[in-house]
Amino acid sequence: MAVVERDVLARLLPLLRRAGVTVVAGTQKNLVLKVSASGSASQVDLKVVRQRLSRSLANRDAAVARMLYAAPSATPDVVAAAIAGRFDLVTEDPELVIVGGEMLLRSEEPMRRHISGRPAWSRSAVLRVLALTARPLQQSDLAAAISVSQQTVSLALKKLSSTVTRDEHGWIALDGALESWMREYPGPGGTVGYWYGLDDPATQANTALRLLDELELKAVVSGDLAADSYAPWQLPATVRMYLPEIIDFTVAGFSPAEPGDATMTTVVPEDPTVALVAAALGARSAGGHLLADAAITLWDLLNTSTAPTAGEAADRLRDAISGGGFGV
C-alpha cells in the first residue's frame, strides 16, 4: 500500500536529478538547489503536501520565503503559478519539476496512487521495541527508548492488545509480534538519495561516514552491513544508511545514480523513531556511528537489499532476534 507523502519524498531527489537539479544541501524543511543548465543556486523552503495541491493551499504560504512544493499532483492553476515563477513545484502524478519558472521535467501519463493516513510511528516503535526485548518492560522503559511520553505509550499499548500483554513484571510481546510488525510497518519513508561507488560496500560506507564525521553528523547504518554485524551470513552487497539531513556525496567520490544502479542509498527518514530506537537499542559501529535496531535492519534486508542471499540472511537474523539480546 503506497502512502502519497512517502512516495513523493522518496522520489523527490531522483525527480530533481532527472530534471538537471542538484540538491547541494538541506533537510526535510529546506533545500539548496542548483540548476545544472544555468549553474545558479537558490535556497527554498520545502513543503510536502499529502493531497492534490490547489491554489488555496499554496496561497497559505504566500508571505513566507521561496517555497518548493512536493505533492502527489497539482491543479492546472498551481502549475501555471509555478511556471509564472511564484514558487517551485515537484509532483509525481504526472512527474513534473518546475524550478525558477522553468519546466524542467514533465511526463505525459499520470499514475493512480492510493492515499492513506499518516503512519502511527510511536505505536509501531512500541511494538518493535517489545518484539526485540526478551524481558518485561515498564511504560517508562518504552517511553525512554522512543523519546515519547508515557501517555503516548499507554495509548499505543491499548491499540496493540492483540500483539502485546502485561504480566506482573511489565509488558511483553506475544508470539508473532515481530512478524506482525513486519507486515504492518510501511517503511521509514523520507527523502531518498541514490549513489554509485566503485569500492566494496564496507569501504563505501567508511568513505561516506568519514565525510559525515567531518560534517559532525551521525548516521544510522542499516541493511546488509548492519545485518552482517548482528548475524553474519552474507557478503554485504549494498550500503544503506539513515541521515539527519540531505548530503551531497559527490565530494567523497560518489556519483548520483538511478535506484536500480545505486550501490549506496541514503535516507532522511520520515519515521523519527529510526534514529531514536537505534540510539536506545542499536549497537555502535567501529567508527562510532549507530547501527539500526535489529527489526529495522531485518525490514531493510527483506525490502531493500539486492544481495542474492538476503532471504537466508534475514532468516539468520530472525533466529538471532528470537534468542534475545537486541532489546532494552
Side-chain angles (χ1 to χ4, degrees):
M1 180 175 63
V3 177
V4 167
E5 183 173 355
R6 292 197 301 283
D7 284 350
V8 171
L9 281 171
R11 292 294 297 155
L12 178 61
L13 296 187
L15 284 172
L16 287 171
R17 189 176 298 123
R18 283 172 52 197
V21 181
T22 301
V23 178
V24 179
T27 67
Q28 287 194 33
K29 294 184 178 179
N30 52 74
L31 304 172
V32 178
L33 306 179
K34 183 176 182 180
V35 180
S36 301
S38 63
S40 60
S42 60
Q43 182 168 332
V44 297
D45 287 348
L46 175 62
K47 180 68 173 288
V48 177
V49 180
R50 299 180 60 248
Q51 62 194 73
R52 185 171 175 84
L53 181 62
S54 65
R55 281 302 300 273
S56 61
L57 292 173
N59 286 340
R60 296 177 186 176
D61 303 304
V64 302
R66 183 166 188 84
M67 188 72 66
L68 167 64
Y69 286 100
S73 61
T75 58
D77 57 340
V78 166
V79 175
I83 293 174
R86 295 176 187 171
F87 43 78
D88 299 332
L89 178 65
V90 175
T91 68
E92 255 222 316
D93 188 9
E95 294 179 339
L96 179 71
V97 176
I98 303 172
V99 175
E102 294 292 327
M103 179 79 74
L104 301 176
L105 176 70
R106 179 165 193 150
S107 66
E108 297 301 325
E109 281 297 319
M111 301 172 290
R112 298 298 179 189
R113 294 189 177 271
H114 178 74
I115 299 178
S116 179
R118 182 179 297 276
W121 300 121
S122 295
R123 184 169 74 231
S124 175
V126 167
L127 180 58
R128 185 163 96 243
V129 171
L130 285 171
L132 291 172
T133 304
R135 65 180 181 87
L137 296 178
Q138 300 296 321
Q139 288 189 19
S140 57
D141 299 323
L142 291 163
I146 307 168
S147 294
V148 296
S149 68
Q150 290 194 46
Q151 181 181 14
T152 297
V153 171
S154 178
L155 293 172
L157 291 168
K158 289 178 181 178
K159 292 184 177 293
L160 294 170
S161 58
S162 64
T163 50
V164 302
T165 189
R166 181 178 177 84
D167 65 15
E168 65 272 23
H169 302 294
W171 290 92
I172 56 175
L174 297 171
D175 290 343
L178 178 63
E179 295 308 316
S180 177
W181 177 82
M182 290 285 292
R183 287 192 301 270
E184 296 298 324
Y185 187 59
T191 308
V192 184
Y194 299 98
W195 304 94
Y196 180 81
L198 296 175
D199 296 321
D200 64 271
T203 302
Q204 289 186 45
N206 289 334
T207 300
L209 293 174
R210 281 198 298 271
L211 174 61
L212 294 173
D213 286 337
E214 293 175 9
L215 298 173
E216 298 184 344
L217 297 173
K218 290 298 181 183
V220 175
V221 179
S222 187
D224 293 2
L225 290 170
D228 189 55
S229 294
Y230 286 132
W233 179 254
Q234 67 179 15
L235 287 175
T238 55
V239 179
R240 182 174 177 87
M241 60 180 68
Y242 297 99
L243 307 178
E245 61 185 71
I246 298 168
I247 301 297
D248 182 1
F249 285 97
T250 58
V251 297
F254 292 89
S255 301
E258 288 298 310
D261 300 322
T263 58
M264 183 175 77
T265 302
T266 59
V267 185
V268 182
E270 181 190 357
D271 181 355
T273 73
V274 171
L276 294 171
V277 176
L281 307 187
R284 288 186 180 272
S285 67
H289 293 267
L290 290 168
L291 297 181
D293 66 74
I296 289 290
T297 299
L298 178 62
W299 192 94
D300 278 333
L301 198 62
L302 289 171
N303 290 278
T304 69
S305 176
T306 59
T309 57
E312 297 170 19
D315 290 340
R316 190 175 182 89
L317 180 54
R318 272 197 189 92
D319 291 341
I321 292 172
S322 66
F326 291 116
V328 177

